[in-house]
Amino acid sequence: MEYSTFGRHVAVDAWGVDFDLLNSAEELQSHMVEAAEACGATVLSVQSKQFEPQGATVLVLLSESHLSIHTYPERGFAALDCYTCGETVDPQAAIDYMLSVLKPQKTHAKKLVRGMGELQIVEPEMKQIELV
């Protein structure tokens, strides 16, 4: 079986996010797994680290690649990214889910289209979805 090298990588800087949410690795881990499942990805494992005096990192290893967040609660800042290989899982859906959780005041984002030769940089359409 031959696999495609096509992939999409969405990276977002989120500003103006609630301190307490950004400072809870446990809560972020739960939301990150939900985000991965919401985009149809297969979660293989999860690693998280709560930093002192503040901050958190969560990495969700996916069969399709990864979803990660690194937070700086004292600045209201989170760096998010999601990379997925193939056509079946859209990393934008995981990012949109997390933006709906984080509710940032401002975002800056880029999407890379990878595995097709020259990297393509695209302006992604960012949207906060309504969580049920």
Side-chain angles (χ1 to χ4, degrees):
M1 176 181 250
E2 188 172 321
Y3 291 96
S4 169
T5 56
F6 172 78
R8 292 164 287 180
H9 195 161
V10 181
V12 180
D13 283 359
W15 294 93
V17 180
D18 177 71
F19 180 96
D20 292 330
L21 178 56
L22 293 180
N23 200 38
S24 176
E26 184 176 339
E27 187 174 354
L28 288 168
Q29 180 174 319
S30 174
H31 290 304
M32 295 281 282
V33 169
E34 291 168 359
E37 291 170 349
C39 78
T42 304
V43 175
L44 298 177
S45 67
V46 182
Q47 292 284 315
S48 64
K49 171 68 176 170
Q50 181 68 53
F51 294 100
E52 293 298 332
Q54 69 264 326
T57 292
V58 178
L59 174 63
V60 181
L61 181 63
L62 307 173
S63 179
E64 300 80 7
S65 196
H66 75 271
L67 172 63
S68 70
I69 188 169
H70 307 280
T71 74
Y72 300 81
E74 72 279 13
R75 302 258 177 118
F77 174 73
L80 286 152
D81 84 296
C82 186
Y83 175 54
T84 61
C85 302
E87 308 252 0
T88 59
V89 176
D90 184 1
Q92 187 67 54
I95 294 296
D96 289 343
Y97 186 98
M98 285 306 300
L99 292 177
S100 298
V101 168
L102 297 174
K103 297 178 178 46
Q105 294 172 4
K106 185 189 292 189
T107 59
H108 301 283
K110 294 289 185 216
K111 176 165 73 173
L112 294 174
V113 178
R114 304 176 74 176
M116 303 301 292
E118 190 73 30
L119 291 176
Q120 294 178 352
I121 301 172
V122 180
E123 292 293 328
E125 182 180 326
M126 307 305 292
K127 59 185 174 222
Q128 292 184 21
I129 59 174
E130 188 167 325
L131 301 177
V132 201

